[in-house]
Amino acid sequence: MFRKQRLPLLLWFRLARIYNKSNRMSSKYLSQWNLTVSQLDLLAQIGVHQPIAQKDLAEKLFVTKGNITHSLRILENAGFVSRKQEWRTKYIQLTDKGERLYEEVVPKQEEKQAQIFSSLTKEEQKTLLELLKKVEKNQLNRSD
């Protein structure tokens, strides 16, 4: 059963090249806002799901709550996000400044990523999408 879910070796290599190219391109593009790729990922997730509990944000990013604390502090100090405590839960949302950055950066970043991933064949894109859906579904099932 596991073999059916594995990606073909050549697709893995292509994905590794795409990841490297994407990371370099994104880092260069995001440097004008002093953002890292992981900070943009946080910003994008918050923008889509706001307000969002910090623990839920961590689950969506497949990391621990502690792993995002430092990046959130940087985004908060830059004025892009605000956090508020309600009982035992910290909620995060974009500030007005964060909303403007989100609206400017995220669509451009999505266009750049689409261009990079267009090098995959339709069959490779389909295989990758199916596997990502399985990974997300398994992650969601584990958090229930």
Side-chain angles (χ1 to χ4, degrees):
M1 182 171 164
F2 179 72
R3 288 192 175 274
K4 292 179 185 177
Q5 295 179 5
R6 290 176 52 188
L7 287 178
L9 182 61
L10 293 178
L11 178 55
W12 275 114
F13 288 134
R14 292 189 70 195
L15 287 173
R17 285 193 301 276
I18 286 171
Y19 170 78
N20 287 331
K21 182 178 181 180
S22 173
N23 201 34
R24 282 192 312 273
M25 178 211 60
S26 295
S27 294
K28 184 177 178 182
Y29 172 69
L30 295 172
S31 66
Q32 61 190 306
W33 292 282
N34 292 322
L35 287 175
T36 65
V37 174
S38 61
Q39 290 166 347
L40 175 65
D41 194 8
L42 279 172
L43 189 80
Q45 288 291 337
I46 295 165
V48 171
H49 303 287
Q50 69 176 321
I52 185 170
Q54 186 170 332
K55 68 177 183 62
D56 296 337
L57 180 59
E59 287 176 11
K60 290 193 176 303
L61 297 171
F62 303 112
V63 297
T64 65
K65 197 168 72 169
N67 287 345
I68 62 172
T69 301
H70 179 70
S71 291
L72 281 173
R73 190 174 304 119
I74 291 169
L75 291 174
E76 188 174 34
N77 289 341
F80 297 129
V81 301
S82 64
R83 294 188 272 186
K84 69 177 183 176
Q85 184 88 26
E86 288 185 13
W87 293 91
R88 293 183 176 174
T89 305
K90 285 184 183 174
Y91 287 94
I92 301 118
Q93 65 184 47
L94 298 179
T95 61
D96 290 341
K97 182 179 177 182
E99 292 250 1
R100 287 190 301 276
L101 182 67
Y102 174 84
E103 290 170 3
E104 182 177 350
V105 174
V106 171
K108 290 178 185 175
Q109 187 68 11
E110 286 174 342
E111 287 175 22
K112 291 175 183 290
Q113 297 304 321
Q115 289 172 350
I116 290 173
F117 275 92
S118 68
S119 67
L120 295 174
T121 66
K122 295 290 183 200
E123 186 60 34
E124 289 172 331
Q125 289 177 16
K126 181 181 174 194
T127 301
L128 180 59
L129 186 59
E130 288 170 358
L131 184 61
L132 289 172
K133 284 180 183 178
K134 288 178 185 176
V135 168
E136 187 173 68
K137 181 180 178 187
N138 287 337
Q139 181 69 17
L140 292 175
N141 288 341
R142 276 194 282 153
S143 66
D144 291 343

